[in-house]
Amino acid sequence: MSPIVQYQKRVNASKPKRIVPYVNIAGQHVEIKKEILNAIECVIDRGDFILGKEVSKFETLFAELCGTKYAISLASGTDALVLAMKALGIGLDDEVITVPNTFISTVSAIVLVGARPVLVDVKEDGNIDPEKVEELITVKTRAIIPVHLTGKPAEMDSILAIARKRKIAVIEDAAQAVTATFRGTPVGSLGDCGCFSLHPLKTLNALGDAGVVTTNDGKLAARVKKLRNLGLTSRDNCDEWSGHSRLDTIQAASLIVKLKYVKKYTEKRRQNVERYRNLLSGLTEIECPQEEPSERSVYHTFVIRTEKRDELQKYLTTYGIGTAVHYPIPIHLQSVTKRLGYGKGSFPSAEKLAETILSLPIYPELEEDDLNYVSEHIHSFYESRKR
Ligand SMILES: Cc1ncc(COP(=O)(O)O)c(C=O)c1O
């Protein structure tokens, strides 16, 4: 059953005039399915499923896209973070600073290498607050992980200045931000390395899990490459323990096809954002995300803010409009982080965001009528509250 049909079933009770699901991954593939199948067929015919020809081709193209010397493809974005930290020598007793309002992976990767996550609050835009970072740095701090949340670049010049001064690494969590730029430079090329997710929900997406580490540092690239392949230095020699985390050749083949379209699709997302901004302008009850002249955001998500988030979300659902919250429970309030000693009130800005943010559908396949429909119902929700 397609996602649209599934969604339709869920909202059918109220029989809305139109259905606008939050995501439409199947719809994305209509235009390019044949091209992808042809590319996969070539791999099947050759049989080089592991580290085959398309893997290195994809890595060359992805490095070009990010403006880095190296791109090492992996099995997921989570592995990208884990292997980047391992390759930088981060482990037991080390501390790594990151934010509490991110996908769980950013923090779990720190724990998985044996280090301690040190969380820092965010600014109103949801990205790391550089002013709060410096006071958290100790002799144990080995890295800062700014997350380019929603596809909006974090304030990288301040973060890099702090890190350079203290000789600690900057690992960009660029999972949501393929092709975003900060002062004209692509994310993933600003810090010591960038970690990308190419999960199906991302703006450049595989047909399953996938990830990439980008870097200009040859030594770091070589170590990530070794760690993704059992620590082998050649077919028969191993000099360090590791598991494996390789991008399948068939995934690389499909990603090479998709890379051709990523800029066009991102532009369409940005056009959708402009359309929403116009359609929602004048509504004082909601705030749309801002973009500074120094940034080019890619809108992995389009997140509005409103005090009546839960009511609005419910209302939109009854009209067939899918929305989501990224993320409803900040990481410091998850049961898994109890031992870190944080609690309610530890990060007021992240907590406020968790209560007020709502992600609207933003994918490239949305039609103008979809955007009009969503916006009309946001207006009608606030009209109905005035009565
Ligand atoms: C900010 C962030 N970091 C890390 C990840 C982990 O990526 P993956 O799901 O590919 O492991 C994601 C993906 O959802 C993410 O959004």
Side-chain angles (χ1 to χ4, degrees):
M1 205 187 302
S2 82
I4 292 196
V5 175
Q6 283 173 19
Y7 189 72
Q8 228 154 5
K9 282 203 150 186
R10 260 191 277 142
V11 294
N12 238 1
S14 53
K15 295 247 182 331
K17 271 203 289 191
R18 198 177 181 92
I19 299 291
V20 185
Y22 177 64
V23 288
N24 180 9
I25 296 175
Q28 238 179 56
H29 292 94
V30 173
E31 195 190 0
I32 56 175
K33 189 167 133 188
K34 281 222 167 72
E35 217 180 328
I36 292 174
L37 288 174
N38 287 342
I40 291 176
E41 200 172 2
C42 292
V43 182
I44 295 174
D45 290 345
R46 280 199 324 269
D48 55 346
F49 296 115
I50 301 294
L51 298 178
K53 190 170 101 179
E54 282 80 359
V55 173
S56 48
K57 181 168 179 202
F58 169 69
E59 290 175 339
T60 303
L61 293 171
F62 196 82
E64 256 172 49
L65 189 73
C66 297
T68 54
K69 285 190 192 154
Y70 310 97
I72 305 98
S73 62
L74 302 165
S76 73
T78 307
D79 282 356
L81 289 160
V82 169
L83 295 192
M85 279 186 270
K86 281 193 174 170
L88 284 163
I90 298 170
L92 222 55
D93 278 342
D94 292 332
E95 291 177 1
V96 177
I97 298 174
T98 194
V99 292
N101 61 329
T102 176
F103 187 58
I104 193 78
S105 293
T106 317
V107 179
S108 58
I110 300 170
V111 177
L112 288 171
V113 299
R116 180 183 178 83
V118 175
L119 302 180
V120 59
D121 211 354
V122 291
K123 299 180 301 165
E124 272 208 8
D125 68 358
N127 276 338
I128 191 165
D129 186 345
E131 285 184 11
K132 297 201 166 78
V133 169
E134 203 142 17
E135 67 204 52
L136 298 172
I137 295 175
T138 70
V139 287
K140 292 183 173 184
T141 309
R142 294 290 314 280
I144 305 169
I145 307 185
V147 179
H148 305 304
L149 197 73
T150 76
K152 179 185 171 73
E155 223 181 286
M156 286 303 290
D157 40 12
S158 314
I159 293 294
L160 287 167
I162 294 166
R164 301 292 177 250
K165 195 166 74 181
R166 306 294 203 108
K167 293 195 170 33
I168 54 183
V170 174
I171 301 167
E172 296 174 68
D173 184 338
Q176 305 184 355
V178 175
T179 75
T181 61
F182 180 76
R183 301 200 192 289
T185 305
V187 302
S189 69
L190 296 149
D192 295 82
C193 60
C195 297
F196 291 86
S197 164
L198 308 178
H199 176 280
L201 287 173
K202 298 301 192 284
T203 54
L204 173 66
N205 53 1
L207 307 175
D209 281 311
V212 185
V213 169
T214 51
T215 183
N216 286 315
D217 178 337
K219 272 194 188 150
L220 185 61
R223 188 143 187 228
V224 172
K225 224 168 173 174
K226 183 175 68 171
L227 289 171
R228 79 168 170 189
N229 197 26
L230 297 151
L232 290 164
T233 51
S234 65
R235 205 197 78 149
D236 302 314
N237 291 286
C238 178
D239 69 1
E240 118 175 82
W241 296 118
S242 192
H244 58 66
S245 174
R246 301 166 300 223
L247 180 71
D248 291 330
T249 313
I250 55 170
Q251 292 292 0
S254 90
L255 282 163
I256 289 169
V257 173
K258 288 183 169 207
L259 261 179
K260 290 197 283 183
Y261 300 93
V262 68
K263 286 194 173 156
K264 175 177 137 188
Y265 291 162
T266 301
E267 206 38 58
K268 186 72 197 341
R269 279 175 186 271
R270 290 177 55 83
Q271 283 166 14
N272 289 345
V273 168
E274 273 322 297
R275 182 113 196 104
Y276 269 136
R277 281 208 177 105
N278 289 331
L279 290 165
L280 298 173
S281 69
L283 252 187
T284 52
E285 294 89 344
I286 65 164
E287 261 176 65
C288 286
Q290 300 298 315
E291 201 172 317
E292 302 300 322
S294 57
E295 309 161 350
R296 188 176 188 277
S297 302
V298 295
Y299 300 97
H300 159 64
T301 47
F302 179 70
V303 180
I304 60 167
R305 290 180 64 183
T306 170
E307 294 295 328
K308 292 198 165 61
R309 191 269 311 282
D310 291 344
E311 282 173 75
L312 175 62
Q313 185 173 36
K314 225 187 237 169
Y315 181 89
L316 294 176
T317 305
T318 60
Y319 285 96
I321 299 164
T323 57
V325 178
H326 300 95
Y327 300 93
I329 308 171
I331 289 177
H332 67 289
L333 300 180
Q334 300 278 350
S335 57
V336 72
T337 54
K338 241 184 206 151
R339 74 167 182 91
L340 295 179
Y342 301 116
K344 198 140 180 68
S346 295
F347 304 107
S349 176
E351 288 171 31
K352 181 74 187 162
L353 282 170
E355 289 165 5
T356 54
I357 47 176
L358 186 66
S359 307
L360 302 182
I362 194 66
Y363 42 94
E365 296 74 24
L366 285 170
E367 292 170 7
E368 203 164 319
D369 283 348
D370 294 322
L371 298 169
N372 291 339
Y373 184 76
V374 175
S375 306
E376 271 164 27
H377 284 88
I378 295 176
H379 277 278
S380 69
F381 168 76
Y382 288 105
E383 277 304 313
S384 70
R385 301 299 113 162
K386 280 184 195 152
R387 280 182 227 131

